[in-house]
Amino acid sequence: LLRDIGMTFEELKEKRENELLRSANDFSDEGTEVELLDDKIQVKEETSRAVKLARLFSESVEESRLLYNAAKAEARSEAELFDMAREDLTDKEIILAEAKEVLQKVSKRKRDLKDAAERALAEARSNREYAINAENRVAAVKALLDKSQSQAMSSETVAGTADAEAQISEQRARDAEARAAKARSVAEEERKLAEKETKLEDNLDAQLVTAHKKLLEAKSSVAAARERADEAVMRTEKLNDEIREAKSSLSHQHNEDVEEKCEERKFYIDQMENALTEKLSREAKTRRLENIIEDLKRKAKVQAKVAAAARKQADQSMSIADQLEEHALEEREAANLRQAARTKANLVVVSSDAVLTSTETQLAEAERAASEASDLAAECRVKADQLAREVDAIEDPRTYEENVNVAQKNRDIAFSVYESALESKEEADQRAAKAKQVHETNCLKMSNLERDAMAELLQRESAHQAEVMTMGACENARAMSERVAINEDECHEAMKFAAEKERALKFALRYREKKRRVQPISPSMANITLIHSAKLRSWGKSKALPSSTLHSVPENMIVERAERGMEEWKSWVDFNRNHFTRTYPSSNARNYNPVLPWAMGCQFVSLNFSSQDDFILLNDGRFRANGNQGYVLKPEYLCDNGLVEDVFNCNHPRKINIRVLSGRCLPKPPANIYSKSGPQRLSVNPIVRITLYDGSPATLLKPPTFSTHVIRDNGLNPVWNEEDLATFECLNPSVGILLFKVYDHCEVTKTDVLIGASAIPVTCMREGFRCVSLYDSNNTRGGAMRFASLFVHVQMV
């Protein structure tokens, strides 16, 4: 300190005494302020110009802070109004969909009742015709009865009349049988025609199925040709780089390498052209097959209608033939009766009473049949009238159409309100950002002024403090030099005493450790212990341990042993069928793929939940299969000793084709994430990536991933409708997991920010059009992620 101030201790002491005397004499000068201390008088200097400017500018800073808070509150209010408008728009869209559904149901019910009324009316007409025929038969029987009565009065007249009636009845019976035979032949022809049309319909359906199979094979061929072309392009680019490096060298050996690589590049170019030619031909074949399928669908639809009409016509012809046969049988019975009457009339006149009685019986039966036919026709007519009244009673669909129009108008109004709220929110955010920028500028200027003022004051004070510190340090140094001599002697004695105590402590700790190691385990403690840990030395010794034994293994050991081959994998699976295994990450900074230990039968797979990465999402998807209960049953092949040879479970692979169609309500990531990845935007540019994590030895390789194209500035309802399918070959469907991830792509920084994701086990996947719910990085669907989802089409082979 004395060197820093450039004075000796005596000079410094003399200077301090002179300053104290001078300060005491001049403490009343104008423009100064005197402060009395314990041992000196300190004169405060006038306030500097920088301090005055800082005090004046603090008012501007406070005013800008208030403006910024007001703008931020306004932006928050506009954001709340925007959320309310978006929710109102969603409600109006739901109401519109419900109104359309009700309109469709009412229209369908009216059509069904109208068709039923028409069928009932046709049945009533048929029954009425049958009743008229029955009434005609009653009239005929009554005429026969009159003839029988006249026969009783005159046997000769009866015999003649009976002969004439018998001939007439025989002729009518022949005519009725001829009509029945003709109707039966027509019915058989129409039945054969219906069977022929039905067979044509089945043939078209079989052709349609065959065309679909050929289309799938053609698409697979297109994908294979595309992969070969991509591989050839990649090898050609690699050879181009090697050729450029070789040309930069002037040696003869490198020239020969260039020629060889050029020949190899030409080979891969030819291979690429062949693959592209094959791809184009396969695509043309695919388009032809699609046109053929559309044509077959149209023909099948038309043929289905023709076959249905033919079957309906055949059923009607069979019904008419049955009715005519019944009528022919009745006519034949009447002819037989008349033949009997003629014979009896010729044999004896006395039999006229029996004929009269028989005729009366026939009359009663005919009257009963006519009555039943009339009643059945009346019932069918009443039923038809009732169905017609029900059709008239149904509400007019125009009312529901008006409801749909009103709902559509409300939805349009809500959408306009939503757009207005979005514009207001964006304007409020811009004003808040501008106010924040002004406030930050004022704060920066204020801090610069304060820093200048503080530097000026510190410069004055530092010189004074340096002299004071130097004076005190010198005095303390003299006092400390005297105390050091005394403390050195005490230190030597204390060090000797501490060494003795340290030796005694080591002996005591060593004795306590030995005593602790030989302490016996309590039997009650051993009885309540379920799982015991042991080191993994060899599989023979490990499998001989009790089933309650647990191995704790780091993830690098799992990978190392899995890479050794099938025998090591089989040993893991066999051990985990009757024992426990816990895996954990090798470091606290990263995670590992949990699908590998799951595929090997490990029961406890530990992860670092502080790292929000893909493997945490896979863990969430695995336990979401049973509602996040915390436990999921292992696949059967990992538990059944009879399947010990199938340790990979690759005998039944599944091919999964996924087409990403659209998305819904994709929110913007938080603002703090944008600050790291680039400037914040008003809307997102979504892109979808699908990754398959298989439970086979392929887990050790990089998982296959499919990416869609980027949709610009649309997070509300982006539509991809990808022509290329995301095709995955899952060798072990029992353990495999599909990971759907949606990113916001930034064109400026060329980075992607996670919006939402969802992991789905392959065993939980279903075919057809499916909605994939998205979760944020914390596995939640609250707030802006509440309605986020993807719409995809899944096909599994």
Side-chain angles (χ1 to χ4, degrees), residues 747-760:
E747 292 290 342
V748 179
T749 61
K750 302 299 180 182
T751 56
D752 296 330
V753 179
L754 179 65
I755 297 176
S758 180
I760 304 176

Side-chain angles (χ1 to χ4, degrees), residues 455-468:
E456 184 177 350
L457 293 176
L458 288 176
Q459 185 178 3
R460 295 180 181 180
E461 188 68 21
S462 60
H464 177 73
Q465 291 293 333
E467 295 177 356
V468 173

Side-chain angles (χ1 to χ4, degrees), residues 206-224 226 278-297 655 657 659 723 725 727 793 795 797:
Q207 292 177 8
L208 187 60
V209 172
T210 304
H212 274 294
K213 291 182 180 179
K214 292 182 179 179
L215 179 61
L216 292 177
E217 293 174 357
K219 289 185 177 180
S220 301
S221 301
V222 170
R226 185 184 298 110
E278 182 181 357
K279 174 177 173 293
L280 293 176
S281 64
R282 295 293 183 179
E283 288 178 346
K285 182 179 179 181
T286 302
R287 288 192 292 271
R288 289 195 300 272
L289 287 174
E290 290 176 348
N291 294 332
I292 292 172
I293 289 173
E294 291 297 327
D295 188 44
L296 287 175
K297 285 182 179 179
K655 184 176 181 181
N657 296 326
R659 185 188 301 276
E723 295 182 359
L725 297 177
T727 303
H793 181 263
Q795 184 181 11
V797 182

Side-chain angles (χ1 to χ4, degrees), residues 33 95 187 199 221 228 244 287 308 318 321 414 460 483 492 512 606 737 769 790:
E33 183 180 354
I95 292 172
K199 188 174 181 180
S221 301
R228 292 196 301 272
R244 284 194 295 270
R287 288 192 292 271
M318 292 295 290
R460 295 180 181 180
R483 293 177 57 187
H492 289 302
R512 182 183 298 176
S606 305
I737 299 178
F769 294 94
L790 293 176

Side-chain angles (χ1 to χ4, degrees), residues 256-448:
E256 295 179 353
D257 293 339
V258 168
E259 293 177 357
E260 293 178 358
K261 292 183 182 298
C262 288
E263 292 293 328
E264 187 176 359
R265 181 181 62 180
K266 183 178 180 181
F267 169 76
Y268 283 118
I269 290 174
D270 295 337
Q271 186 177 5
M272 177 184 66
E273 291 176 352
N274 294 333
L276 291 176
T277 304
E278 182 181 357
K279 174 177 173 293
L280 293 176
S281 64
R282 295 293 183 179
E283 288 178 346
K285 182 179 179 181
T286 302
R287 288 192 292 271
R288 289 195 300 272
L289 287 174
E290 290 176 348
N291 294 332
I292 292 172
I293 289 173
E294 291 297 327
D295 188 44
L296 287 175
K297 285 182 179 179
R298 180 180 57 77
K299 290 182 179 179
K301 186 175 180 181
V302 173
Q303 185 61 34
K305 293 181 179 179
V306 173
R311 289 192 293 269
K312 183 177 179 182
Q313 183 64 31
D315 294 337
Q316 291 179 356
S317 299
M318 292 295 290
S319 177
I320 293 171
D322 293 336
Q323 293 176 2
L324 290 174
E325 286 179 354
E326 291 178 359
H327 181 66
L329 290 175
E330 292 175 357
E331 292 294 334
R332 174 54 62 187
E333 290 176 358
N336 293 334
L337 289 174
R338 289 181 176 83
Q339 289 289 342
R342 182 181 62 181
T343 303
K344 290 180 181 179
N346 292 330
L347 293 175
V348 63
V349 178
V350 182
S351 62
S352 60
D353 293 335
V355 173
L356 180 62
T357 303
S358 176
T359 306
E360 290 176 351
T361 304
Q362 292 182 27
L363 178 60
E365 182 66 24
E367 289 177 349
R368 183 184 64 78
S371 177
E372 290 179 355
S374 299
D375 295 340
L376 184 60
E379 290 178 0
C380 292
R381 183 65 185 181
V382 171
K383 182 178 179 181
D385 294 339
Q386 183 180 357
L387 291 174
R389 288 193 297 270
E390 290 182 2
V391 172
D392 295 335
I394 294 178
E395 298 181 12
D396 191 356
R398 288 179 292 182
T399 303
Y400 296 98
E401 292 177 356
E402 293 177 357
N403 294 337
V404 171
N405 294 332
V406 171
Q408 182 67 37
K409 291 179 180 178
N410 292 335
R411 185 262 177 195
D412 296 339
I413 294 172
F415 185 74
S416 62
V417 173
Y418 167 80
E419 291 181 343
S420 177
L422 178 62
E423 292 178 358
S424 301
K425 175 178 175 297
E426 293 173 353
E427 292 176 357
D429 291 339
Q430 292 177 358
R431 289 195 296 272
K434 186 175 181 180
K436 181 180 179 182
Q437 183 179 3
V438 172
H439 177 64
E440 290 177 350
T441 303
N442 292 338
C443 290
L444 181 62
K445 293 180 180 179
M446 180 68 184
S447 62
N448 293 333

